[in-house]
Amino acid sequence: MVASEEQSRHGRICYLTVSYSGDIDRFALLRRSLTLFSPGIDHVLYVDQDDLPLFMDRFRTEQGLTIHSTRNVLQPQIERARKFWRRLRKPFTERFGWRLFVDVKLSGWRIQQVVKLAAAARVPYDAIAFLDSDDFLCGNMTAQDYFIGDDLVLLETPARTYEDYLFDSFRQSLTGHSLMDEASCFNYIHTPPRFLRRTVARTLAHLEATHVCWQRAVIAAEMPSEYALLGWTARVLENYAGYKHNPMGPQNWAYVVKSSDQLDQAMETCRSERGKRAFFLIQSNMGDSQYIPRARALIEELAQRQ
């Protein structure tokens, strides 16, 4: 892979995605959007070892994409437990798993968080923009767009919802601090989260010093958030060194759809604005992928208009 001139001037940045077979069609939409709107930034993908052949067959020829197995970053005992959990979870584990002492917290959501942290510390780039399979681009993004001068643009807002406070409360515990401390909570779960690789490395060093096995500690947490951990490091341990807050308000960061009744309006707003927010999130936990052809048509239309 050869970084573009823009990447070399502004610090090399990559996209990082962790996915699995159930999201492969969503991932294909994400890949198409990156080809249309951000071809100059490399994309790193991690998938379960079980799904590696499927993704390699479909995407191996894509320019700027490298595909890795989660086996390369998960600790061996966690990888073995993940494989066991995946094989038995439906329907057997949900009914009998507790009797077999199956770690029911080995869900895909928690495993993906561990993989993101471990993989982000390894990538040969200065910064990482995290994209899930339910994200896609709808406007042009270059490496330069992620930086103000030499500093990475950070997406951070004060905690506002109960969920924000829950994520930060479990971050407080994971980083080895007391829940009796005065609360100062923030939200970093915005589209797309982005952090310096240096911040990821410092986060993992802190977790390794705090826990016997940081990967198992994250998995065991009730409401972990990899982005809350990284944001805390950037804010508290690094005092925002190398970061600048996004000068645009959160309403300009992405088109976000969290329920099916929001989809039509969000797509129409995106079309009328010609995709100026650049990112679109349609949460996969809605359980509906019928939007994919519509989203594909939308980004193809927008690409021709930009």
Side-chain angles (χ1 to χ4, degrees):
M1 294 179 291
V2 178
S4 68
E5 291 184 5
E6 281 184 346
Q7 284 180 293
S8 64
R9 286 201 306 270
H10 294 277
R12 298 184 69 207
I13 186 168
C14 72
Y15 296 116
L16 175 63
T17 301
V18 181
S19 192
Y20 80 113
S21 59
D23 272 350
I24 194 167
D25 290 331
R26 291 185 176 92
F27 180 76
L29 174 65
L30 170 60
R31 279 301 308 160
R32 178 57 180 163
S33 74
L34 289 172
T35 300
L36 291 171
F37 298 111
S38 196
I41 299 179
D42 293 330
H43 190 190
V44 179
L45 169 68
Y46 275 78
V47 296
D48 290 351
Q49 179 66 27
D50 323 60
D51 297 332
L52 190 61
L54 179 66
F55 278 84
M56 291 294 291
D57 286 346
R58 188 161 175 180
F59 301 106
R60 74 169 74 233
T61 62
E62 299 243 345
Q63 293 294 313
L65 174 67
T66 56
I67 305 175
H68 305 272
S69 169
T70 58
R71 185 175 65 181
N72 297 337
V73 294
L74 290 175
Q75 294 193 353
Q77 68 272 27
I78 294 177
E79 171 65 8
R80 289 194 296 271
R82 180 202 64 76
K83 288 176 70 71
F84 179 74
W85 164 260
R86 176 168 172 163
R87 190 165 57 245
L88 297 181
R89 67 185 172 190
K90 289 186 178 180
F92 189 75
T93 312
E94 293 176 354
R95 182 173 296 180
F96 302 111
W98 61 274
R99 298 180 185 178
L100 298 175
F101 302 100
V102 174
D103 188 348
V104 295
K105 289 193 174 182
L106 281 169
S107 64
W109 176 60
R110 289 181 175 84
I111 290 290
Q112 284 194 3
Q113 293 195 39
V114 169
V115 172
K116 287 178 191 175
L117 289 169
R122 292 187 174 198
V123 297
Y125 302 89
D126 298 320
I128 305 99
F130 296 89
L131 288 173
D132 290 336
S133 296
D134 50 6
D135 295 315
F136 58 91
L137 274 70
C138 54
N140 294 323
M141 287 295 294
T142 67
Q144 181 177 1
D145 294 318
Y146 284 98
F147 293 87
I148 298 175
D150 294 327
D151 295 331
L152 186 67
V153 176
L154 180 67
L155 305 185
E156 176 193 82
T157 57
R160 184 178 59 85
T161 68
Y162 290 116
E163 183 179 65
D164 295 342
Y165 282 97
L166 270 175
F167 281 132
D168 219 11
S169 294
F170 282 97
R171 186 277 313 151
Q172 179 79 346
S173 296
L174 281 168
T175 52
H177 296 93
S178 172
L179 292 177
M180 298 304 293
D181 292 348
E182 184 176 348
S184 180
C185 300
F186 294 83
N187 178 18
Y188 299 91
I189 308 176
H190 300 292
T191 304
R194 72 290 299 268
F195 293 94
L196 297 170
R197 180 164 57 91
R198 177 204 71 203
T199 300
V200 183
R202 190 160 185 180
T203 300
L204 294 190
H206 183 90
L207 291 176
E208 287 167 354
T210 307
H211 303 280
V212 174
C213 174
W214 75 264
Q215 294 193 2
R216 188 159 289 281
V218 171
I219 290 169
E222 191 69 27
M223 288 281 285
S225 168
E226 69 278 50
Y227 306 131
L229 286 165
L230 295 172
W232 173 83
T233 300
R235 184 180 80 251
V236 175
L237 299 186
E238 298 179 328
N239 195 28
Y240 298 116
Y243 293 95
K244 285 264 175 50
H245 286 85
N246 193 329
M248 302 175 65
Q251 70 276 8
N252 298 305
W253 295 350
Y255 305 95
V256 178
V257 174
K258 296 186 177 182
S259 60
S260 56
D261 62 317
Q262 298 173 344
L263 180 59
D264 290 343
Q265 182 59 56
M267 283 193 165
E268 184 52 41
T269 301
C270 177
R271 179 176 285 107
S272 65
E273 293 181 350
R274 298 197 175 192
K276 73 175 183 178
R277 303 183 203 178
F279 295 96
F280 209 121
L281 165 65
I282 303 177
Q283 285 196 337
S284 59
N285 60 14
M286 289 167 46
D288 182 7
S289 60
Q290 295 182 0
Y291 70 84
I292 292 177
R294 293 177 59 195
R296 173 85 178 235
L298 175 64
I299 63 174
E300 298 286 350
E301 174 190 334
L302 292 171
Q304 294 209 353
R305 296 168 63 186
Q306 293 188 9

